[in-house]
Amino acid sequence: MLSTPRGLLFWLVLIILLFLIAIAPVQTAHTLIDLSHGIGKFFTGLKKFIETLSA
């Protein structure tokens, strides 16, 4: 699997991600946690909105 060639975008994203983790691990972790919480809140609100429309 890892021997297959990847695109330029894959390597660019991988290098940026590794750079962020190496330079600012705490800030990166907080950002990822906040992002996951925000996505969860978005889908919770979307669920309530759809339930309200269907009621």
Side-chain angles (χ1 to χ4, degrees), residues 7-39:
L8 181 63
L9 182 63
F10 169 80
W11 290 112
L12 186 63
V13 169
L14 182 66
I15 289 170
I16 291 172
L17 184 63
L18 291 175
F19 178 76
L20 287 175
I21 291 172
I23 296 300
V26 175
Q27 290 86 353
T28 304
H30 284 293
T31 302
L32 293 176
I33 290 171
D34 291 341
L35 186 64
S36 67
H37 284 232
I39 291 171

